[in-house]
Amino acid sequence: MANVAKKVSWSGRDRDDEEDEDDERAGETTPLLNGTGPGVAGGARQLTPSSFLRIGQLSNVDLNEDIRELETELPRQHPNEIPHNEKLLSLKYESLDYDNSENQLFLEEERRINHTAFRTVEIKRWVICAMIGILTGLVACFIDIVVENLAGLKYRVVKGNIDKFTEKGGLSFSLLLWATLNASVVMVGSVIVAFIEPVAAGSGIPQIKCYLNGVKIPHVVRLKTLVIKVCGVILSVVGGLAVGKEGPMIHSGAVIAAGISQGRSTSLKRDFKIFEYFRRDTEKRDFVSAGAAAGVSAAFGAPVGGVLFSLEEGASFWNQFLTWRIFFASMISTFTLNSVLSVYHGNAWDLSSPGLINFGRFDSEKMGYTIQEIPIFIFMGVVGGILGALFNALNYWLTMFRIRYIHRPCLQVVEAMLVAAVTATVGFVMIYCSRDCQPIQGSSVAYPLQLFCADGEYNSMATAFFNTPEKSVVNLFHDPPGSYNPMTLGMFTLMYFFLACWTYGLTVSAGVFIPSLLIGAAWGRLFGISLSYLTKGSIWADPGKYALMGAAAQLGGIVRMTLSLTVIMMEATGNVTYGFPIMLVLMTAKIVGDYFVEGLYDMHIQLQSVPFLHWEAPVTSHSLTAREVMSTPVTCLRRIERVGTVVDILSDTSSNHNGFPVVESNPDTTQVAGLRGLILRSQLIVLLKHKVFVERANLSLVQRRLKLKDFRDAYPRFPPIQSIHVSQDERECMIDLSEFMNPSPYTVPQEASLPRVFKLFRALGLRHLVVVDNRNEVVGMVTRKDLARYRLGKEGLEELSLAQT
């Protein structure tokens, strides 16, 4: 027990002001640490004997309790290992409320909105989507231009140094310069992420998937996160890491959307008093979907692919109007990027830069495919699925190691610098050892490195390492046959595979899309060259075409996207001809990869113990009912409640409730009657803050009138109960909850099956689902964590433990 500390989360550290815990755990105790200890105390919820045999006993793991014990024994000893069990579910993550609370205030406001006001609200939605598209496109332009200039400066310095020392000798100085430049740039990028905003690490796609699924990841859509994300991804790419700048655009677009739609910034502490109507989780979610789609569109020049990405990977809710608005935001994003980059490149009327990466045009006449190639494409999909599964498995164990041992910010920065230096060293050594010389005439290489090649020739290995990954991908797609030696491609694929695997998960802002495409393009081109040898140079065995299929297979094998990735690849190539083979390759890669291990994003969501809900309940869960999965006992409030009681319930740290059923009951009796409504913790906080209560002796008086604006002004960062002062006299006052509670919360009978409960909860985007008996009395509450706790494992249905990680 000497080596116990909290598991590092996406947010990196505790933030008590935002992480008031989500769901009902009042009746559960915390006896175990990863299955060790004296046993489960009597307070834990008991399952029926049949379900106990089927899914095992519930254990609730509280790592905080062990930390407190540790602090009393060893007050100054720093932990060096974080215990982690993949079969944990974190109680830390709060849920978002995608179900509107239809209380009296809400209904009165909606009734006052006439047809003209409704049209105004609709126009505002379109205006917001246009602003999301414009700003996302501008951010993408900024990233692209800065990366191009800084990377170009670095490559010119290193190239000049290598050319100088090739003749004189002393290339070790060139290696030192390259490694130092990379490590220094990456150090700055890692420091700002590790010490200022840890949630900006990685691509941000898993976090946005969780947000759209209904999980609140702290700080995920803050302005500060966007600034750190943009600066971090620029420094990561310039620092020569095996990363891309496209993935983080999805996170950036989502942050832009969240900020614009609310009309204010908590980071700047500015409220512009616009778009107040949209200050609720339901509206914010829809705009974040549009932002994610705009990010994809800006990255790949794929507006339709962006819409499908939001649909396939993120959104928990969808309708026709939302589709149109998201497509509009995506188109505006692409057009903005295209216009600005065209002006920047000096050809203002030639809109030829639709995305951050453009795969270039694939000529159907020269690079068509025939019926006999379809089995070859399917085989490439199998290879991509196997390699993707291997990539994910290696990254899984590496991430586990990082969670246990590299959880301090200073260690994370050191690791990032080490990876940057090693990447430069590996690249330099491979360029130095390669003798693959190609004629420089007609080459599209930006920084041709001669090294030991003859005059008029350049080192082919250098084109793969001595460029940003985006340019290397395009070179592998379009360089003419004979531009690469098979040995060069084979060594590059092997080295870059392990470098990319090591890099993903570092505390830097970085995406995995482009490294995956680059690995796949390298082995795909090698495959095409081999096929050309076997068929004695047949015209259909073009290496560029197979590089494209290899890139699709590798990316599909790692991230397991199908529909959206097919359209993104088609739009990025500008050729619909390859739609069918790309679809075949991606489907095969997904099927093969899923047989071994899940996708990279889902794996990292699981490693962070996030209560993520998939579309359907586990297929073998029909034998479970609401009675067996609900949390109980539930803290209920009476319709007219004493202020002191409300304060005590909200201050009770052992319950951490966020939703309370309201029942009809006489204040002078303890008998509980039927369910009358549901009220949220945040609503109670606002009522206490505005002193919306009356003295017990004057119950006939009308209490202070609140408007929905008062609740929207406090959204989304409601003050903690500790910051609200309630005097002793005020504790004896009474508060009437009738006007503020949701009088028609969703309920299920306790006999309802788990799949039915799951479908209702997931489809409606609920946060709380009340379980009642046949007399409409509250017997339990189903929350996100009660449902996410059950998953299909290798040995059937399993129940995850709950942890305060």
Side-chain angles (χ1 to χ4, degrees):
M1 296 297 293
N3 297 328
V4 181
K6 283 190 180 178
K7 182 162 91 56
V8 176
S9 72
W10 279 324
S11 56
R13 44 187 177 266
D14 286 332
R15 294 187 169 98
D16 295 329
D17 60 327
E18 285 204 355
E19 293 178 14
D20 44 337
E21 308 299 336
D22 191 344
D23 298 329
E24 291 63 30
R25 307 289 166 214
E28 299 179 0
T29 56
T30 57
L32 300 179
L33 177 64
N34 290 351
T36 60
V40 180
R45 177 172 60 82
Q46 297 296 314
L47 300 174
T48 61
S50 60
S51 64
F52 179 86
L53 293 173
R54 186 167 56 251
I55 55 177
Q57 191 170 358
L58 170 68
S59 61
N60 185 8
V61 185
D62 187 355
L63 299 184
N64 287 331
E65 190 169 299
D66 295 280
I67 296 168
R68 289 192 289 271
E69 294 176 8
L70 174 68
E71 288 172 348
T72 57
E73 297 172 8
L74 303 166
R76 296 197 179 276
Q77 180 175 342
H78 291 290
N80 58 10
E81 179 184 350
I82 295 185
H84 181 258
N85 184 341
E86 63 175 308
K87 298 190 188 308
L88 288 181
L89 201 64
S90 177
L91 287 171
K92 175 181 66 175
Y93 294 106
E94 185 182 340
S95 288
L96 295 164
D97 201 350
Y98 288 158
D99 177 42
N100 287 326
S101 177
E102 292 192 346
N103 54 23
Q104 288 183 30
L105 296 182
F106 178 82
L107 293 176
E108 287 172 9
E109 182 187 78
E110 291 296 309
R111 291 182 189 121
R112 283 198 302 270
I113 296 180
N114 56 25
H115 183 69
T116 305
F118 176 76
R119 292 291 295 272
T120 304
V121 169
E122 277 298 297
I123 291 171
K124 284 182 178 178
R125 286 196 175 100
W126 286 95
V127 169
I128 291 172
C129 286
M131 292 171 66
I132 290 169
I134 292 169
L135 284 177
T136 304
L138 291 176
V139 167
C141 290
F142 175 78
I143 292 174
D144 189 57
I145 293 169
V146 174
V147 165
E148 184 181 327
N149 285 284
L150 290 181
L153 176 64
K154 185 191 82 169
Y155 288 131
R156 282 193 295 273
V157 169
V158 176
K159 179 182 182 303
N161 195 273
I162 291 176
D163 289 342
K164 173 184 172 184
F165 282 101
T166 302
E167 298 176 6
K168 296 182 179 180
L171 277 171
S172 55
F173 181 77
S174 300
L175 167 61
L176 187 63
L177 174 68
W178 194 1
T180 304
L181 278 174
N182 276 16
S184 302
V185 173
V186 169
M187 180 189 74
V188 178
S190 183
V191 163
I192 61 174
V193 171
F195 289 95
I196 300 178
E197 198 52 89
V199 79
S203 67
I205 295 175
Q207 292 92 318
I208 296 304
K209 280 188 68 171
C210 291
Y211 185 92
L212 294 175
N213 190 259
V215 183
K216 181 181 179 183
I217 309 295
H219 290 213
V220 73
V221 288
R222 295 274 295 276
L223 177 62
K224 185 167 70 171
T225 305
L226 174 64
V227 174
I228 300 300
K229 193 88 181 181
V230 170
C231 297
V233 74
I234 289 170
L235 294 166
S236 299
V237 176
V238 172
L241 291 175
V243 300
K245 58 181 182 284
E246 280 68 20
M249 277 309 305
I250 296 165
H251 190 179
S252 301
V255 179
I256 290 168
I260 291 175
S261 65
Q262 303 304 291
R264 66 177 174 192
S265 168
T266 52
S267 298
L268 297 177
K269 295 182 170 50
R270 292 289 303 276
D271 190 342
F272 300 101
K273 302 296 182 184
I274 56 174
F275 306 139
E276 285 185 332
Y277 181 80
F278 305 117
R279 290 179 185 174
R280 55 177 185 262
D281 287 340
T282 315
E283 297 284 353
K284 195 173 179 181
R285 169 200 61 193
D286 292 347
F287 290 119
V288 168
S289 298
V296 174
S297 185
F300 296 97
V304 179
V307 175
L308 293 175
F309 174 85
S310 274
L311 174 60
E312 181 181 8
E313 286 295 303
S316 57
F317 172 80
W318 205 263
N319 65 26
Q320 186 179 9
F321 297 112
L322 187 60
T323 307
W324 270 110
R325 287 198 297 270
I326 290 179
F327 183 61
F328 177 67
S330 297
M331 289 297 295
I332 294 291
S333 174
T334 295
F335 180 75
T336 302
L337 179 83
N338 212 339
S339 304
V340 175
L341 288 186
S342 297
V343 171
Y344 174 74
H345 292 306
N347 46 354
W349 303 107
D350 179 21
L351 300 178
S352 55
S353 303
L356 291 184
I357 181 169
N358 186 359
F359 292 164
R361 294 202 67 83
F362 283 77
D363 193 338
S364 302
E365 295 180 6
K366 294 180 181 177
M367 297 173 62
Y369 67 95
T370 57
I371 192 75
Q372 63 261 37
E373 289 182 89
I374 289 178
I376 299 174
F377 294 149
I378 293 174
F379 174 74
M380 293 183 76
V382 172
V383 174
I386 293 171
L387 289 177
L390 177 63
F391 184 99
N392 292 358
L394 291 174
N395 192 260
Y396 174 87
W397 294 111
L398 183 61
T399 305
M400 290 281 282
F401 178 84
R402 284 177 173 140
I403 288 171
R404 288 195 171 107
Y405 300 107
I406 313 179
H407 50 271
R408 293 187 203 151
C410 53
L411 292 177
Q412 292 167 345
V413 173
V414 170
E415 187 198 13
M417 292 174 64
L418 175 65
V419 174
V422 168
T423 303
T425 304
V426 168
F428 186 88
V429 170
M430 290 184 68
I431 292 170
Y432 183 82
C433 296
S434 173
R435 293 295 179 267
D436 184 9
C437 298
Q438 301 292 337
I440 204 167
Q441 289 181 347
S443 172
S444 59
V445 180
Y447 305 102
L449 196 64
Q450 184 177 353
L451 209 60
F452 299 117
C453 295
D455 289 342
E457 294 185 336
Y458 69 96
N459 188 300
S460 183
M461 179 70 83
T463 63
F465 271 109
F466 214 67
N467 260 322
T468 55
E470 288 85 355
K471 290 180 180 174
S472 298
V473 169
V474 177
N475 288 339
L476 286 168
F477 284 164
H478 294 290
D479 281 354
S483 299
Y484 298 90
N485 187 294
M487 183 61 71
T488 300
L489 290 172
M491 290 299 297
F492 175 78
T493 302
L494 185 66
M495 288 294 105
Y496 208 81
F497 181 91
F498 289 108
L499 285 174
C501 186
W502 190 11
T503 304
Y504 189 80
L506 289 177
T507 311
V508 294
S509 298
V512 76
F513 270 67
I514 299 302
S516 305
L517 289 171
L518 184 52
I519 295 165
W523 69 254
R525 191 174 181 97
L526 178 62
F527 187 86
I529 292 171
S530 306
L531 205 61
S532 183
Y533 283 148
L534 292 175
T535 58
K536 295 182 174 56
S538 176
I539 189 170
W540 53 263
D542 187 286
K545 173 174 55 179
Y546 288 100
L548 175 65
M549 296 304 158
Q554 186 66 52
L555 183 55
I558 291 175
V559 301
R560 309 290 160 75
M561 290 156 52
T562 50
L563 178 64
S564 56
L565 197 52
T566 301
V567 177
I568 288 170
M569 297 288 284
M570 283 168 52
E571 289 184 282
T573 56
N575 194 330
V576 75
T577 308
Y578 292 113
F580 181 67
I582 288 174
M583 183 190 72
L584 272 182
V585 164
L586 288 173
M587 285 181 62
T588 309
K590 176 176 171 56
I591 292 168
V592 173
D594 283 342
Y595 180 78
F596 296 104
V597 67
E598 59 190 343
L600 188 66
Y601 299 143
D602 292 328
M603 188 184 78
H604 278 264
I605 289 171
Q606 181 182 315
L607 280 171
Q608 293 298 332
S609 304
V610 178
F612 187 88
L613 294 182
H614 295 281
W615 280 109
E616 297 288 342
V619 290
T620 59
S621 60
H622 278 84
S623 53
L624 289 173
T625 63
R627 184 193 297 110
E628 293 169 304
V629 303
M630 67 187 184
S631 295
T632 185
V634 181
T635 303
C636 296
L637 294 172
R638 292 173 294 206
R639 190 176 58 80
I640 300 177
E641 188 61 270
R642 195 171 68 90
V643 171
T645 304
V646 174
V647 172
D648 291 340
I649 289 173
L650 295 180
S651 304
D652 184 4
T653 56
S654 64
S655 66
N656 289 317
H657 289 193
N658 264 318
F660 304 92
V662 179
V663 296
E664 186 67 70
S665 180
N666 189 326
D668 300 323
T669 67
T670 57
Q671 183 179 1
V672 177
L675 177 70
R676 291 293 177 267
L678 182 78
I679 193 161
L680 301 176
R681 168 187 288 268
S682 56
Q683 294 172 313
L684 293 172
I685 292 281
V686 174
L687 297 182
L688 293 175
K689 180 182 176 182
H690 289 275
K691 311 289 184 185
V692 186
F693 37 75
V694 294
E695 296 179 9
R696 185 187 290 267
N698 301 316
L699 287 178
S700 59
L701 293 177
V702 178
Q703 59 190 12
R704 181 181 173 185
R705 181 78 176 175
L706 281 187
K707 296 182 178 179
L708 272 183
K709 182 181 183 302
D710 297 302
F711 294 91
R712 287 169 181 159
D713 286 343
Y715 175 86
R717 302 179 71 187
F718 295 95
I721 184 63
Q722 292 79 11
S723 68
I724 296 174
H725 177 69
V726 178
S727 67
Q728 195 60 42
D729 290 339
E730 289 172 334
R731 286 178 62 88
E732 298 304 318
C733 292
M734 304 301 290
I735 183 170
D736 188 351
L737 304 179
S738 306
E739 191 178 4
F740 311 103
M741 70 181 185
N742 182 1
S744 54
Y746 289 100
T747 62
V748 290
Q750 53 188 342
E751 292 80 20
S753 67
L754 175 59
R756 192 171 185 81
V757 172
F758 191 101
K759 190 175 295 184
L760 181 66
F761 197 96
R762 179 74 169 84
L764 296 173
L766 302 182
R767 187 178 183 182
H768 306 95
L769 183 60
V770 185
V771 183
V772 296
D773 60 13
N774 53 9
R775 294 177 296 176
N776 199 36
E777 292 182 2
V778 179
V779 293
M781 183 87 82
V782 175
T783 59
R784 168 175 293 275
K785 297 178 184 70
D786 296 316
L787 297 176
R789 206 167 65 222
Y790 297 93
R791 77 172 183 204
L792 197 60
K794 293 180 180 178
E795 299 178 0
L797 195 65
E798 57 187 20
E799 184 179 10
L800 308 185
S801 302
L802 298 165
Q804 292 278 7
T805 55

